[in-house]
Amino acid sequence: MPPRDRQAHGEGLLDQLNQANAEEQQRRARAAANPAGIVLDFLSAPEFELQLKSLEAEKQGIELLNVTTDGDVTLATVFIPNGKLAYFSRRFERYLNEDTRTNRPKHRALVESISGVRRAALRSFWTDNADFPPEDRPLDWEVWLRTTPSAEAALNVFRAEAESLGLTLGRRVIQFPDRLVLLAHGTAAQLGSSLQLLDVVAELRLAKECPTDFLSRHMQRPEQAEWAREAAARVVAPPADAVAVCVLDTGVDLGQPLLAHAIDEEHTLTCFPEASPADHAGHGTEMAGLSLYGDLSQLLMSTERVALRHRLESVKILPRAGSNPPDLYGAITAEAVYRIEQVEPHRRRVFCMAVAATDSRDRGQPSSWSGELDQIAFGEDASPKRLVFVCAGNTDQSQRHNYPDSNHTDGIHDPGQAWNAITVGAFTERVLIRSEEFAAYEPVAPSGALSPSSTTSLVWQQSWPLKPDIVMEGGNSAVSPARHGADTIEDLQLLSTSRLVAGKLFVATGDTSAATALAARVGAVIQAEYPEYWPETVRALMIHSAEWTPAMLEEFPPPTKQECQRRMRCYGYGVPSLDRALWCARNALCLVSQAELYPYERDEDASRVKTRDMHLYDLPWPVDELRELGEQEVTMRVTLSYFIEPSPGRRGWKYRHRYASHGLRFDVKRPLERVDDFRKRLNKMARDEEEELATTEGQEWTLGQQLRSRGSIHSDWWTGTASELADCGHLGIYPITGWWRERPQFERYTRPVRYALIVSIHTPAQDVDLYTPVTIQLGIPTTISIE
């Protein structure tokens, strides 16, 4: 907490509270209105946190509406019913005049975390990442209403006030347990002019831009060109040596003005000597736009300059006519990678392959294509490791009205089963239809749930990896009232750059292709921010930042392991966040390690290859602070990422013919376990995995050892009390067997393997400083021989 002068601080907050109340009463008198309560902003000191839990009191009807930041100041907007302002004034007075048994001011944690109090303005409800819009600019607003004490009453109040103010409301409403969401068209001045209207609002955001507004049948081509020119003028080109997203697709159109800043002709290649590297179908140019900007609507509607951190490259892997024999797709992909690396051998890049086979007959088993993809990521002796994003593949368009059953029975398409690649599925938040011609249509998928286009791995054998790894926005479908089939409509899609056909500059796009391009963009930005991080580490950060939406948790509710597995076979680890991924790498309580380990060695008598080393980390936890939290629940998340060398021949994948060259596992010392006993347990777990014996599962882990150990990236959540976590303190990384060990004739057992490890702590408590005591990253682990 910031240093405070008790008397001055307490009296100052009381004065501000009374001043805010006086201003509110004056405004009510002028407007002849009597809303149900007052809304106040509570401000933190710069770089300090508010005691958010104590700003809400359910029994009093006091509700925390939203939390935002202004620079390094946190702002909490709170609704306080009429007659309940004394809840805060009493706490301020007790802080001034009363002490606890330990001779500290009462309510010290709450009061000293607050730097100021003021009456809320319209801007207080703004939670969008964009700048607050001008007061007189008509916009489509996404309005989030409180549902207490009654959702129906709040909606009726808002609709009545909106009609009197001349606001235009959308006819659809999304309902969550504590919020209602609807669209309103009008100005900030209109919204802010009614006390009754703000009485029921919790948040305001910009409505998701509708691609339809920018497409050719709604916008004339000269107008499209003007929007593109204006946006391109605000784009600052990336450095020539910047990280690149290499799009493996149908090519990229170099004439597209919004891509010209970031791609050079010498970086557009083709695997077909007789064919031009230019885009012949449009798909590659669409993926390039999403890989560079994300959804293009955000760029077009903004007025800010955009400084690009990464570039584009393109290698055409799909021919103009016909198709490549399926058994050659892996070879073509490898050729594309080697071609671009010959042109720019030292550039850091990520690969975006939003292309998949048209069927899912492999059902998770390795193919020549997925095996080659794993080999590309793993790298050969002299070549680098590579970060590859691949789409999960799309469901049958004609079956999407059978959502979600059609998703659950349509398996992820080849090569989405690759272990080392990040396989990207699609979810959607696109549920609002605004075009009049589709007014009677209903979206297929609810907000936050699986996109109708996204395949899953529910039909795979349980031994194969949990795919997809993550999901990104892929758009939605809608059902016409006239028929039962699901249609793709532009309102529910994303906007991207178009191949220049008859002057068209923008195009609506979606499905798992679009989701993959969005994921590749996130990977490139992380790599640009942290150039020293390995591809394995960037992958770990993306997985570590991923979270399941409320809709995903509701569809497959915890805590059973079976429901967790079903959720992961639909959504992977959830939706990654660029902000959280960058925060993970910067935050002192998110610890990052990049290390090498020798998994195997040959016996002295050369009779057999055996397991060699494990790593033991002494975690620099703030032990004293955690013990002070006592029984408070805390969560530790651990993510381990590495690449395997594949052996995709279908010979059972057991013993000598395992698919993976090696495997790594992690575990954490139990609270009452001695370090020596922990080492012995790791040795036993390594032997049990080798002998394919069942592992004892700890109930503290969300997924558990058996479920999280599929594939080559493992992430899990440990939940317990803070005092228990304080006594954990050690984490082990140990190898399990693979074909490097089982097939010594290839002499791979002498090689080290790389891995990235991320460990973070989260606690809901707001009055304990876990950050200051931890000022270092994970150091070099202790290497211990496996017995």
Coordinates of all heavy atoms in Angstrom, one line a residue, residues 128 340 488 512 560 637 663 686 731 768 773:
D128 N -13.8 -0.3 -23.1 CA -13.2 -0.7 -24.4 C -11.7 -0.3 -24.4 O -11.3 0.6 -23.8 CB -14.0 -0.1 -25.6 CG -13.8 -0.9 -26.9 OD1 -12.7 -0.9 -27.4 OD2 -14.8 -1.5 -27.3
I340 N 11.9 -20.1 -48.2 CA 11.9 -18.8 -47.6 C 13.2 -18.6 -46.7 O 13.7 -17.5 -46.6 CB 10.6 -18.5 -46.8 CG1 10.5 -17.1 -46.5 CG2 10.5 -19.4 -45.5 CD1 10.3 -16.2 -47.7
T488 N -23.6 -18.8 -43.9 CA -22.5 -17.9 -43.5 C -22.9 -16.5 -44.0 O -23.1 -16.3 -45.2 CB -21.2 -18.3 -44.2 OG1 -20.8 -19.6 -43.8 CG2 -20.1 -17.3 -43.9
T512 N -11.8 -21.8 -39.3 CA -10.5 -22.0 -38.5 C -9.3 -21.4 -39.3 O -8.2 -21.2 -38.7 CB -10.3 -23.5 -38.3 OG1 -10.2 -24.2 -39.6 CG2 -11.4 -24.1 -37.5
T560 N -14.8 -32.7 -12.9 CA -14.5 -34.1 -13.3 C -13.4 -34.1 -14.4 O -13.4 -33.2 -15.3 CB -15.7 -34.9 -13.8 OG1 -16.1 -34.3 -15.0 CG2 -16.8 -34.8 -12.8
R637 N 0.0 -22.1 -11.8 CA -0.1 -22.7 -13.1 C 1.3 -23.0 -13.6 O 2.2 -22.2 -13.5 CB -0.8 -21.8 -14.1 CG -1.1 -22.5 -15.5 CD -2.0 -21.7 -16.4 NE -2.2 -22.5 -17.6 CZ -3.0 -22.1 -18.6 NH1 -3.6 -20.9 -18.5 NH2 -3.2 -22.8 -19.7
G663 N 10.1 -37.7 -24.1 CA 9.0 -37.0 -23.5 C 9.6 -36.3 -22.2 O 10.5 -36.8 -21.6
A686 N 9.2 -41.6 -13.3 CA 9.9 -41.8 -14.6 C 9.9 -43.3 -14.9 O 9.7 -43.7 -16.0 CB 11.3 -41.3 -14.5
L731 N 10.2 -27.8 -7.9 CA 9.5 -28.3 -9.1 C 10.6 -29.1 -9.8 O 11.7 -28.7 -10.0 CB 9.0 -27.2 -10.0 CG 8.3 -27.6 -11.3 CD1 7.2 -26.5 -11.6 CD2 9.2 -27.6 -12.5
V768 N -2.1 -8.2 0.0 CA -0.8 -8.8 0.2 C 0.1 -8.6 -1.0 O -0.3 -8.7 -2.1 CB -0.9 -10.3 0.6 CG1 -1.5 -11.1 -0.6 CG2 0.5 -10.8 1.0
P773 N 8.8 -9.3 -3.0 CA 9.8 -10.2 -2.5 C 10.4 -11.1 -3.6 O 11.4 -11.7 -3.4 CB 9.0 -11.1 -1.5 CG 7.8 -10.3 -1.2 CD 7.5 -9.5 -2.4

